[in-house]
Amino acid sequence: MSNPQQLRYSKEHEWLSAVEDGVATIGITEFAANALGDVVYADLPKVGDTVTAGETCGELESTKSVSDLYSPVTGEVTESNQDVVDDPSLVNSAPFEGGWLFKVRVAEEPKDLLSADEYTEFSGN
């Protein structure tokens, strides 16, 4: 399993794209998607919602369990991935591409996000 080098990662297994024009894209890692099993339902934050770094902002339900979704940054949601709501299996099949979850206008970025290499070491993959 290879974690893209250009992304940053949280210890809750979310990834964060580079901030462009103040907005970052967020998803869960391949490690988390594999641990969840087949995702069958996604409850994502809505446009206009405020999310806070480290706090719950939605959930993913799989054939194995329900898992809380945490935001790795603080800010306002600018877009939720309707494709994932319509076809939650995208989280498993393309966690770093079409399976992204939401976009946030970043107000505050935590200092404890991990590089790809640090996340690989942290997750044991």
Side-chain angles (χ1 to χ4, degrees), residues 6 8 14 23 26 30 34 38-39 42 45 47 52 60 65 78-79 82 87 89 91 96 99-100 103 114 122-123:
Q6 74 275 17
R8 285 174 290 153
E14 281 83 24
V23 176
I26 296 167
E30 186 175 5
N34 289 339
D38 296 333
V39 177
V47 172
T52 302
L60 297 173
S65 66
T78 62
E79 186 178 351
Q82 187 62 44
D87 181 8
S89 70
V91 171
F96 296 115
W100 61 272
K103 295 184 180 187
L114 307 173
F122 169 76
S123 63

mmCIF file of all heavy atoms in Angstrom, residues 6 8 14 23 26 30 34 38-39 42 45 47 52 60 65 78-79 82 87 89 91 96 99-100 103 114 122-123:
data_model
loop_
_atom_site.group_PDB
_atom_site.id
_atom_site.type_symbol
_atom_site.label_atom_id
_atom_site.label_comp_id
_atom_site.label_asym_id
_atom_site.label_seq_id
_atom_site.Cartn_x
_atom_site.Cartn_y
_atom_site.Cartn_z
ATOM 1 N N GLN A 6 2.264 13.643 -1.631
ATOM 2 C CA GLN A 6 1.826 15.041 -1.612
ATOM 3 C C GLN A 6 0.736 15.312 -0.575
ATOM 4 O O GLN A 6 0.401 16.457 -0.321
ATOM 5 C CB GLN A 6 1.348 15.477 -3.004
ATOM 6 C CG GLN A 6 -0.010 14.936 -3.425
ATOM 7 C CD GLN A 6 0.028 13.549 -4.048
ATOM 8 O OE1 GLN A 6 0.983 12.813 -3.920
ATOM 9 N NE2 GLN A 6 -1.054 13.203 -4.739
ATOM 10 N N ARG A 8 -1.068 14.981 3.384
ATOM 11 C CA ARG A 8 -0.731 14.898 4.797
ATOM 12 C C ARG A 8 -1.812 14.067 5.475
ATOM 13 O O ARG A 8 -2.921 13.955 4.964
ATOM 14 C CB ARG A 8 -0.602 16.290 5.400
ATOM 15 C CG ARG A 8 0.727 16.892 4.929
ATOM 16 C CD ARG A 8 0.893 18.306 5.338
ATOM 17 N NE ARG A 8 -0.063 19.064 4.537
ATOM 18 C CZ ARG A 8 -0.599 20.204 4.908
ATOM 19 N NH1 ARG A 8 -0.281 20.742 6.048
ATOM 20 N NH2 ARG A 8 -1.456 20.833 4.144
ATOM 21 N N GLU A 14 -7.371 10.032 8.342
ATOM 22 C CA GLU A 14 -7.853 10.880 7.252
ATOM 23 C C GLU A 14 -6.658 11.470 6.527
ATOM 24 O O GLU A 14 -5.595 11.633 7.110
ATOM 25 C CB GLU A 14 -8.740 12.020 7.777
ATOM 26 C CG GLU A 14 -10.155 11.605 8.108
ATOM 27 C CD GLU A 14 -10.285 10.995 9.480
ATOM 28 O OE1 GLU A 14 -9.447 11.269 10.345
ATOM 29 O OE2 GLU A 14 -11.237 10.232 9.688
ATOM 30 N N VAL A 23 -8.702 26.161 0.211
ATOM 31 C CA VAL A 23 -9.549 24.970 0.309
ATOM 32 C C VAL A 23 -8.707 23.700 0.212
ATOM 33 O O VAL A 23 -7.818 23.602 -0.636
ATOM 34 C CB VAL A 23 -10.635 24.978 -0.799
ATOM 35 C CG1 VAL A 23 -11.468 23.706 -0.765
ATOM 36 C CG2 VAL A 23 -11.530 26.210 -0.651
ATOM 37 N N ILE A 26 -10.468 16.356 1.666
ATOM 38 C CA ILE A 26 -10.280 15.400 2.757
ATOM 39 C C ILE A 26 -10.906 14.065 2.385
ATOM 40 O O ILE A 26 -11.986 14.010 1.791
ATOM 41 C CB ILE A 26 -10.909 15.944 4.056
ATOM 42 C CG1 ILE A 26 -10.159 17.217 4.470
ATOM 43 C CG2 ILE A 26 -10.913 14.898 5.163
ATOM 44 C CD1 ILE A 26 -10.818 18.027 5.512
ATOM 45 N N GLU A 30 -6.305 4.526 2.495
ATOM 46 C CA GLU A 30 -6.525 3.164 2.030
ATOM 47 C C GLU A 30 -6.479 2.192 3.207
ATOM 48 O O GLU A 30 -7.254 1.242 3.284
ATOM 49 C CB GLU A 30 -5.474 2.803 0.982
ATOM 50 C CG GLU A 30 -5.698 1.465 0.339
ATOM 51 C CD GLU A 30 -4.702 1.187 -0.783
ATOM 52 O OE1 GLU A 30 -3.783 1.986 -1.015
ATOM 53 O OE2 GLU A 30 -4.858 0.136 -1.425
ATOM 54 N N ASN A 34 -9.594 -0.229 4.058
ATOM 55 C CA ASN A 34 -9.426 -1.681 4.155
ATOM 56 C C ASN A 34 -9.871 -2.195 5.521
ATOM 57 O O ASN A 34 -10.481 -3.257 5.620
ATOM 58 C CB ASN A 34 -7.980 -2.087 3.874
ATOM 59 C CG ASN A 34 -7.613 -1.924 2.417
ATOM 60 O OD1 ASN A 34 -8.460 -1.873 1.539
ATOM 61 N ND2 ASN A 34 -6.323 -1.817 2.158
ATOM 62 N N ASP A 38 -16.209 -3.239 3.284
ATOM 63 C CA ASP A 38 -17.025 -2.634 2.229
ATOM 64 C C ASP A 38 -17.926 -1.533 2.791
ATOM 65 O O ASP A 38 -18.847 -1.811 3.564
ATOM 66 C CB ASP A 38 -17.876 -3.690 1.532
ATOM 67 C CG ASP A 38 -17.039 -4.716 0.796
ATOM 68 O OD1 ASP A 38 -15.909 -4.379 0.387
ATOM 69 O OD2 ASP A 38 -17.513 -5.859 0.628
ATOM 70 N N VAL A 39 -17.653 -0.285 2.397
ATOM 71 C CA VAL A 39 -18.453 0.854 2.863
ATOM 72 C C VAL A 39 -19.781 0.854 2.110
ATOM 73 O O VAL A 39 -19.818 0.789 0.882
ATOM 74 C CB VAL A 39 -17.696 2.188 2.671
ATOM 75 C CG1 VAL A 39 -18.566 3.372 3.085
ATOM 76 C CG2 VAL A 39 -16.396 2.171 3.473
ATOM 77 N N ALA A 42 -22.499 6.543 3.620
ATOM 78 C CA ALA A 42 -21.651 7.671 4.016
ATOM 79 C C ALA A 42 -22.530 8.837 4.441
ATOM 80 O O ALA A 42 -23.400 9.277 3.687
ATOM 81 C CB ALA A 42 -20.757 8.090 2.851
ATOM 82 N N PRO A 45 -20.391 15.694 6.097
ATOM 83 C CA PRO A 45 -20.817 17.047 6.486
ATOM 84 C C PRO A 45 -21.400 17.781 5.279
ATOM 85 O O PRO A 45 -21.038 17.505 4.136
ATOM 86 C CB PRO A 45 -19.529 17.705 6.979
ATOM 87 C CG PRO A 45 -18.419 16.900 6.406
ATOM 88 C CD PRO A 45 -18.948 15.513 6.191
ATOM 89 N N VAL A 47 -22.497 21.263 3.007
ATOM 90 C CA VAL A 47 -21.945 22.559 2.623
ATOM 91 C C VAL A 47 -22.427 23.604 3.628
ATOM 92 O O VAL A 47 -23.610 23.645 3.978
ATOM 93 C CB VAL A 47 -22.382 22.930 1.188
ATOM 94 C CG1 VAL A 47 -21.985 24.367 0.851
ATOM 95 C CG2 VAL A 47 -21.778 21.962 0.182
ATOM 96 N N THR A 52 -14.322 21.007 13.005
ATOM 97 C CA THR A 52 -13.227 21.338 13.908
ATOM 98 C C THR A 52 -12.225 20.195 13.910
ATOM 99 O O THR A 52 -12.623 19.030 14.011
ATOM 100 C CB THR A 52 -13.764 21.577 15.337
ATOM 101 O OG1 THR A 52 -14.733 22.622 15.285
ATOM 102 C CG2 THR A 52 -12.643 21.960 16.284
ATOM 103 N N LEU A 60 -19.033 6.744 8.483
ATOM 104 C CA LEU A 60 -19.024 5.778 7.402
ATOM 105 C C LEU A 60 -19.492 4.446 7.974
ATOM 106 O O LEU A 60 -19.029 4.024 9.035
ATOM 107 C CB LEU A 60 -17.614 5.625 6.814
ATOM 108 C CG LEU A 60 -17.031 6.870 6.163
ATOM 109 C CD1 LEU A 60 -15.582 6.628 5.774
ATOM 110 C CD2 LEU A 60 -17.854 7.285 4.949
ATOM 111 N N SER A 65 -18.806 -2.508 10.433
ATOM 112 C CA SER A 65 -19.048 -1.610 11.573
ATOM 113 C C SER A 65 -19.418 -0.211 11.092
ATOM 114 O O SER A 65 -19.441 0.074 9.903
ATOM 115 C CB SER A 65 -17.794 -1.520 12.436
ATOM 116 O OG SER A 65 -16.754 -0.892 11.722
ATOM 117 N N THR A 78 -17.062 23.356 1.993
ATOM 118 C CA THR A 78 -17.442 24.011 0.741
ATOM 119 C C THR A 78 -18.057 23.029 -0.254
ATOM 120 O O THR A 78 -18.726 23.440 -1.189
ATOM 121 C CB THR A 78 -16.231 24.689 0.075
ATOM 122 O OG1 THR A 78 -15.258 23.696 -0.241
ATOM 123 C CG2 THR A 78 -15.634 25.757 0.970
ATOM 124 N N GLU A 79 -17.831 21.727 -0.036
ATOM 125 C CA GLU A 79 -18.369 20.715 -0.947
ATOM 126 C C GLU A 79 -18.328 19.353 -0.263
ATOM 127 O O GLU A 79 -17.377 19.028 0.439
ATOM 128 C CB GLU A 79 -17.528 20.674 -2.232
ATOM 129 C CG GLU A 79 -18.059 19.766 -3.307
ATOM 130 C CD GLU A 79 -17.223 19.799 -4.588
ATOM 131 O OE1 GLU A 79 -16.311 20.653 -4.711
ATOM 132 O OE2 GLU A 79 -17.475 18.961 -5.455
ATOM 133 N N GLN A 82 -20.948 14.054 -3.506
ATOM 134 C CA GLN A 82 -22.232 13.390 -3.745
ATOM 135 C C GLN A 82 -22.031 12.022 -4.385
ATOM 136 O O GLN A 82 -22.823 11.108 -4.162
ATOM 137 C CB GLN A 82 -23.142 14.270 -4.612
ATOM 138 C CG GLN A 82 -24.553 13.723 -4.763
ATOM 139 C CD GLN A 82 -25.307 13.611 -3.441
ATOM 140 O OE1 GLN A 82 -25.279 14.508 -2.605
ATOM 141 N NE2 GLN A 82 -26.006 12.495 -3.241
ATOM 142 N N ASP A 87 -22.653 6.279 -4.152
ATOM 143 C CA ASP A 87 -21.929 5.017 -4.307
ATOM 144 C C ASP A 87 -20.792 4.951 -3.289
ATOM 145 O O ASP A 87 -19.641 5.223 -3.611
ATOM 146 C CB ASP A 87 -21.383 4.888 -5.733
ATOM 147 C CG ASP A 87 -20.649 3.582 -5.971
ATOM 148 O OD1 ASP A 87 -20.668 2.694 -5.089
ATOM 149 O OD2 ASP A 87 -20.033 3.437 -7.054
ATOM 150 N N SER A 89 -19.068 2.707 -2.140
ATOM 151 C CA SER A 89 -17.952 1.791 -2.431
ATOM 152 C C SER A 89 -16.755 2.520 -3.034
ATOM 153 O O SER A 89 -15.648 1.977 -3.054
ATOM 154 C CB SER A 89 -18.405 0.668 -3.368
ATOM 155 O OG SER A 89 -18.664 1.160 -4.668
ATOM 156 N N VAL A 91 -15.184 4.787 -1.655
ATOM 157 C CA VAL A 91 -14.235 4.947 -0.550
ATOM 158 C C VAL A 91 -13.241 3.791 -0.557
ATOM 159 O O VAL A 91 -12.061 3.979 -0.280
ATOM 160 C CB VAL A 91 -14.981 5.035 0.800
ATOM 161 C CG1 VAL A 91 -14.026 4.982 1.972
ATOM 162 C CG2 VAL A 91 -15.820 6.307 0.856
ATOM 163 N N PHE A 96 -8.049 7.639 -2.623
ATOM 164 C CA PHE A 96 -7.255 8.856 -2.851
ATOM 165 C C PHE A 96 -7.686 9.613 -4.112
ATOM 166 O O PHE A 96 -7.128 10.654 -4.419
ATOM 167 C CB PHE A 96 -5.765 8.508 -2.950
ATOM 168 C CG PHE A 96 -5.203 7.943 -1.670
ATOM 169 C CD1 PHE A 96 -4.750 6.640 -1.623
ATOM 170 C CD2 PHE A 96 -5.122 8.711 -0.522
ATOM 171 C CE1 PHE A 96 -4.215 6.109 -0.452
ATOM 172 C CE2 PHE A 96 -4.601 8.199 0.658
ATOM 173 C CZ PHE A 96 -4.155 6.887 0.689
ATOM 174 N N GLY A 99 -12.914 8.708 -4.318
ATOM 175 C CA GLY A 99 -13.499 8.430 -3.018
ATOM 176 C C GLY A 99 -13.245 9.499 -1.967
ATOM 177 O O GLY A 99 -13.462 9.255 -0.783
ATOM 178 N N TRP A 100 -12.782 10.693 -2.393
ATOM 179 C CA TRP A 100 -12.612 11.785 -1.426
ATOM 180 C C TRP A 100 -13.966 12.079 -0.790
ATOM 181 O O TRP A 100 -15.014 11.764 -1.362
ATOM 182 C CB TRP A 100 -12.011 13.028 -2.076
ATOM 183 C CG TRP A 100 -12.820 13.633 -3.179
ATOM 184 C CD1 TRP A 100 -12.779 13.304 -4.507
ATOM 185 C CD2 TRP A 100 -13.809 14.667 -3.059
ATOM 186 N NE1 TRP A 100 -13.681 14.067 -5.216
ATOM 187 C CE2 TRP A 100 -14.323 14.915 -4.354
ATOM 188 C CE3 TRP A 100 -14.297 15.415 -1.993
ATOM 189 C CZ2 TRP A 100 -15.306 15.859 -4.607
ATOM 190 C CZ3 TRP A 100 -15.285 16.362 -2.242
ATOM 191 C CH2 TRP A 100 -15.763 16.577 -3.540
ATOM 192 N N LYS A 103 -14.663 18.889 1.015
ATOM 193 C CA LYS A 103 -13.684 19.967 0.886
ATOM 194 C C LYS A 103 -13.985 21.031 1.935
ATOM 195 O O LYS A 103 -15.143 21.285 2.246
ATOM 196 C CB LYS A 103 -13.730 20.578 -0.516
ATOM 197 C CG LYS A 103 -13.309 19.576 -1.583
ATOM 198 C CD LYS A 103 -13.255 20.191 -2.963
ATOM 199 C CE LYS A 103 -12.816 19.123 -3.960
ATOM 200 N NZ LYS A 103 -12.574 19.686 -5.290
ATOM 201 N N LEU A 114 0.750 14.326 9.694
ATOM 202 C CA LEU A 114 1.913 13.504 9.361
ATOM 203 C C LEU A 114 2.226 13.537 7.880
ATOM 204 O O LEU A 114 1.324 13.654 7.046
ATOM 205 C CB LEU A 114 1.633 12.050 9.773
ATOM 206 C CG LEU A 114 1.185 11.807 11.215
ATOM 207 C CD1 LEU A 114 0.797 10.349 11.409
ATOM 208 C CD2 LEU A 114 2.275 12.214 12.180
ATOM 209 N N PHE A 122 3.431 5.108 11.291
ATOM 210 C CA PHE A 122 2.393 5.122 12.327
ATOM 211 C C PHE A 122 1.397 3.982 12.135
ATOM 212 O O PHE A 122 1.026 3.299 13.091
ATOM 213 C CB PHE A 122 1.658 6.473 12.318
ATOM 214 C CG PHE A 122 0.419 6.503 13.149
ATOM 215 C CD1 PHE A 122 0.495 6.595 14.525
ATOM 216 C CD2 PHE A 122 -0.836 6.438 12.552
ATOM 217 C CE1 PHE A 122 -0.660 6.623 15.311
ATOM 218 C CE2 PHE A 122 -1.985 6.461 13.319
ATOM 219 C CZ PHE A 122 -1.902 6.547 14.699
ATOM 220 N N SER A 123 0.966 3.773 10.887
ATOM 221 C CA SER A 123 -0.072 2.769 10.623
ATOM 222 C C SER A 123 0.485 1.360 10.426
ATOM 223 O O SER A 123 -0.274 0.401 10.338
ATOM 224 C CB SER A 123 -0.905 3.173 9.406
ATOM 225 O OG SER A 123 -0.100 3.216 8.249
#
